[in-house]
Amino acid sequence: ADNENNIASSQPRSPLPVVEEKWKPQLQRNNANNTSASGSVGNSAIPEKERQNIAERLLRVMCTDLGALSVVSGKEFIKLAQTLVDSGARYGAFSVTEILGNFNTLALKHLPRMYNQVKVKVTCALGSNACLGIGVTCHSQSVGPDSCYILTAYQVEGNHIKSYVLGIKGVDIRDNGDFIHHWVQNVLSEFVMSEIRTVYVTDCKVNSSAFSKAGMCLRCSACALNSVVQSVLNKRTLQARNMHEVIELLNVCEDLAGSTGLSKETFGSLEETSPPPCWNSVTDSLLLVHERYEQICEFYSRAKKMNLIQNLNKHLLSNLAAILAPVKQAVIELSNESRPTLQLVLPTYVKLEKLFTSKANDAGVVSKLCHLFLEALKENFKVHSAHKVAMILDPQQKLRPVPPYQHEEIIGKVCELINEVKESWAEETEFEPSTKKPRAAGEATAAQEEDWFGKNEVYDYLQEPLFQATPDLFQYWSCVTQKHTKLAKLAFWLLAVPAVGARSECVNMCEQALLIKRRRLLSPEDMNKLMFLKSNML
């Protein structure tokens, strides 16, 4: 804000008695002044002593909170700094503390106004009639030692899925499923009308029966697959079934991979795409050891600790990795945020069921484990009718992933869902059939004809050839809206619902994810120097 080196001598140096209102961020700034200021005030115009002074101030901010390292490089911080510089150039040098006061107080004073502005935008987006309904996820996230529920709404806008974080609530051990349900309903009532149809996606900690009263409630697929693996590879379960070699293998892999994460940093991670936070499987160490086996052997050989490698059952490790790697890959695919994923749930179930069944015929402990995986898959990975309908709405899949004897049942689910939401588009003329139906003798006959009309549209769609390449689903349904009216409306609603409740933007709110992010931004040398300054600088 002290820009006196670039201020004419005729301007007063003392701060002007300006009221606080003038120091609010201006909605429209003088572009001519900004252009001339940015053109004349370059790096060469700032004395080196002043640059060092600015750098020292920034370092003090970073040492106060290492998270500020990413903040000071962000667009909003640069805009704030530019606004202060512009104010100094316009009104002369002034004391930021005396004129603006406490920045935290100043920002919070305008918090309600900005919140209401954004709330209007979100309400208008979620309340539009472009889609039949919305998808809502209620998922718990860890924030250090504590946890909280994050409520997020999803809707298709154009050809993209847009997400809106609606509310955050701290977890209380006294809160049951009904209490969380009431909280969700209260928050949603502020943004959407009660007639908007909703599909909920919740984690295992939320009682789904409470949400089923207000709409369809699905379980987070990543949580379900995590429960499948945890229930089978639980050490108490393995011990009760006399699978001591599996317990020993898991223990050795944890030691080799390094529970502190040091060895993971040495050998690198398994893949660039990380699974969602609700996947905290015990298999990560096992898969890491299998993937980096040669590097780990070389590392421990140099450290002269080959006794750990000698205790490793390489044959069992390979067999378990062949079973568990597809499970983790399925979690990563189902948690993709850039495209729809709900249509992948049923094909994932079928693929994993085939995998476990094929391995169940092997001899030894692997066969026993695969039988346990099959039981856990049926118990924990529930497939809802919405998953079946979403699968049909993918023109690359349709009914191909499931056996023929299930086709009629799934087609019936599609027609049921069409009939359930039929009232939503009955008043919209552009989605009414172009040809008039002949009058029926009675109401039963009319209802039967309407049902057949829905089935005929489904059969016409299913008879079309499958897509050979992966299509952009929303682009596809935009092109066939007039041809498959009811299915297109259904697709723009259901395919916006994610298969996994935990999203990356919610993870960024968690303290643990922020710590990981800060470590990636700094080299070990820079981190060591910053920690030294933080500890010793007064």
Side-chain angles (χ1 to χ4, degrees):
D2 189 356
N3 202 20
E4 62 182 2
N5 291 328
N6 296 302
I7 300 175
S9 58
S10 60
Q11 293 182 354
R13 291 191 171 222
S14 59
L16 298 176
V18 183
V19 294
E20 184 178 326
E21 298 297 326
K22 289 188 177 182
W23 300 107
K24 295 181 181 179
Q26 302 295 324
L27 296 179
Q28 295 181 351
R29 293 158 52 183
N30 193 333
N31 293 331
N33 293 339
N34 291 338
T35 305
S36 61
S38 61
S40 61
V41 184
N43 291 337
S44 59
I46 303 178
E48 184 61 26
K49 185 177 180 180
E50 292 298 324
R51 292 171 59 84
Q52 292 179 2
N53 185 34
I54 294 173
E56 181 181 347
R57 298 290 179 184
L58 286 174
L59 269 176
R60 289 181 179 275
V61 173
M62 293 179 189
C63 292
T64 303
D65 180 11
L66 295 180
L69 179 62
S70 59
V71 174
V72 296
S73 299
K75 294 180 180 179
E76 296 304 321
F77 182 85
I78 295 176
K79 290 180 181 178
L80 171 63
Q82 187 64 54
T83 301
L84 293 175
V85 171
D86 292 344
S87 300
R90 188 178 299 116
Y91 300 105
F94 59 88
S95 171
V96 175
T97 305
E98 294 178 3
I99 300 299
L100 299 182
N102 187 292
F103 268 43
N104 186 40
T105 304
L106 181 64
L108 291 179
K109 182 182 296 183
H110 301 290
L111 179 62
R113 180 178 60 86
M114 294 189 65
Y115 174 80
N116 289 332
Q117 290 178 351
V118 177
K119 183 178 179 181
V120 169
K121 295 180 180 179
V122 175
T123 303
C124 292
L126 295 179
S128 65
N129 295 324
C131 301
L132 287 177
I134 60 175
V136 174
T137 60
C138 182
H139 206 280
S140 60
Q141 300 287 343
S142 297
V143 183
D146 302 321
S147 297
C148 63
Y149 285 107
I150 298 181
L151 186 68
T152 312
Y154 303 83
Q155 191 180 56
V156 177
E157 294 183 9
N159 290 332
H160 301 282
I161 300 176
K162 197 70 180 292
S163 62
Y164 302 94
V165 176
L166 303 184
I168 300 176
K169 181 185 183 303
V171 175
D172 192 337
I173 57 175
R174 296 170 294 180
D175 297 346
N176 54 20
D178 291 330
F179 188 87
I180 298 297
H181 167 70
H182 291 315
W183 170 70
V184 170
Q185 292 301 310
N186 290 335
V187 175
L188 286 179
S189 64
E190 299 180 9
F191 294 92
V192 297
M193 301 296 290
S194 58
E195 59 267 18
I196 296 291
R197 298 182 61 84
T198 306
V199 177
Y200 297 95
V201 180
T202 64
D203 61 9
C204 56
K205 299 178 182 178
V206 181
N207 186 8
S208 60
S209 62
F211 287 89
S212 60
K213 305 172 185 177
M216 287 187 290
C217 185
L218 314 178
R219 188 176 180 186
C220 172
S221 297
C223 289
L225 285 176
N226 185 61
S227 299
V228 170
V229 177
Q230 295 281 5
S231 62
V232 174
L233 296 184
N234 184 280
K235 293 185 178 180
R236 291 185 178 180
T237 303
L238 295 174
Q239 189 173 8
R241 297 178 181 273
N242 295 322
M243 297 184 184
H244 301 290
E245 59 269 41
V246 180
I247 298 176
E248 183 178 356
L249 177 64
L250 293 175
N251 292 334
V252 173
C253 288
E254 288 179 2
D255 294 337
L256 290 176
S259 58
T260 60
L262 177 63
S263 297
K264 273 192 177 182
E265 295 178 2
T266 303
F267 307 121
S269 58
L270 288 179
E271 66 283 314
E272 295 180 0
T273 306
S274 300
C278 48
W279 170 265
N280 55 353
S281 173
V282 295
T283 66
D284 286 346
S285 297
L286 186 145
L287 294 174
L288 177 65
V289 172
H290 179 263
E291 181 73 19
R292 312 291 185 186
Y293 180 75
E294 295 181 358
Q295 293 174 299
I296 292 177
C297 287
E298 182 180 357
F299 177 82
Y300 282 100
S301 176
R302 292 177 180 177
K304 297 181 180 181
K305 295 181 180 180
M306 288 301 294
N307 58 323
L308 291 174
I309 302 295
Q310 293 172 355
N311 295 331
L312 181 66
N313 188 336
K314 185 67 168 59
H315 178 70
L316 182 58
L317 174 66
S318 300
N319 287 328
L320 276 178
I323 297 173
L324 297 172
V327 178
K328 185 174 183 179
Q329 183 60 34
V331 172
I332 295 174
E333 293 174 358
L334 291 172
S335 61
N336 189 297
E337 301 177 23
S338 61
R339 60 177 183 266
T341 53
L342 196 69
Q343 78 281 3
L344 302 177
V345 174
L346 179 54
T348 298
Y349 179 91
V350 174
K351 181 171 62 177
L352 293 179
E353 187 181 38
K354 290 180 179 178
L355 172 68
F356 298 147
T357 303
S358 63
K359 297 288 185 180
N361 296 326
D362 297 345
V365 67
V366 176
S367 176
K368 297 180 181 178
L369 283 174
C370 285
H371 281 96
L372 293 177
F373 274 118
L374 282 172
E375 295 177 5
L377 188 68
K378 295 177 181 178
E379 181 178 353
N380 295 285
F381 199 77
K382 302 294 184 181
V383 177
H384 196 274
S385 59
H387 298 138
K388 301 176 182 178
V389 176
M391 181 192 67
I392 282 190
L393 296 175
D394 185 349
Q396 191 185 23
Q397 295 187 130
K398 295 185 180 178
L399 291 169
R400 184 175 58 177
V402 296
Y405 70 87
Q406 296 183 6
H407 289 183
E408 286 298 327
E409 176 192 353
I410 296 178
I411 293 174
K413 297 291 183 183
V414 178
C415 295
E416 287 179 9
L417 196 54
I418 287 177
N419 290 328
E420 285 182 12
V421 299
K422 187 169 52 180
E423 299 176 357
S424 301
W425 62 61
E427 300 177 357
E428 300 180 19
T429 57
E430 72 236 53
F431 287 103
E432 290 184 358
S434 57
T435 58
K436 295 183 179 180
K437 300 189 298 287
R439 291 188 177 181
E443 295 182 358
T445 307
Q448 186 177 5
E449 287 183 2
E450 184 67 19
D451 179 63
W452 277 109
F453 178 83
K455 278 193 174 182
N456 287 337
E457 182 176 322
V458 176
Y459 281 123
D460 291 341
Y461 163 71
L462 293 176
Q463 288 174 0
E464 297 176 358
L466 295 173
F467 267 60
Q468 298 302 320
T470 303
D472 185 333
L473 295 182
F474 298 126
Q475 182 66 35
Y476 168 83
W477 287 108
S478 297
C479 297
V480 299
T481 298
Q482 298 299 325
K483 187 177 181 180
H484 305 301
T485 305
K486 297 179 183 296
L487 288 175
K489 292 286 286 185
L490 205 57
F492 276 99
W493 170 35
L494 274 187
L495 295 180
V497 181
V500 175
R503 314 298 280 180
S504 63
E505 63 267 20
C506 299
V507 175
N508 290 332
M509 299 177 186
C510 303
E511 181 181 356
Q512 190 67 23
L514 289 176
L515 288 174
I516 296 174
K517 186 177 181 181
R518 293 165 193 163
R519 291 171 187 167
R520 291 178 179 173
L521 288 172
L522 293 174
S523 65
E525 294 80 6
D526 291 339
M527 173 62 79
N528 180 54
K529 292 176 182 177
L530 276 176
M531 293 302 295
F532 174 82
L533 289 176
K534 181 178 176 62
S535 302
N536 299 292
M537 186 167 55
L538 299 177

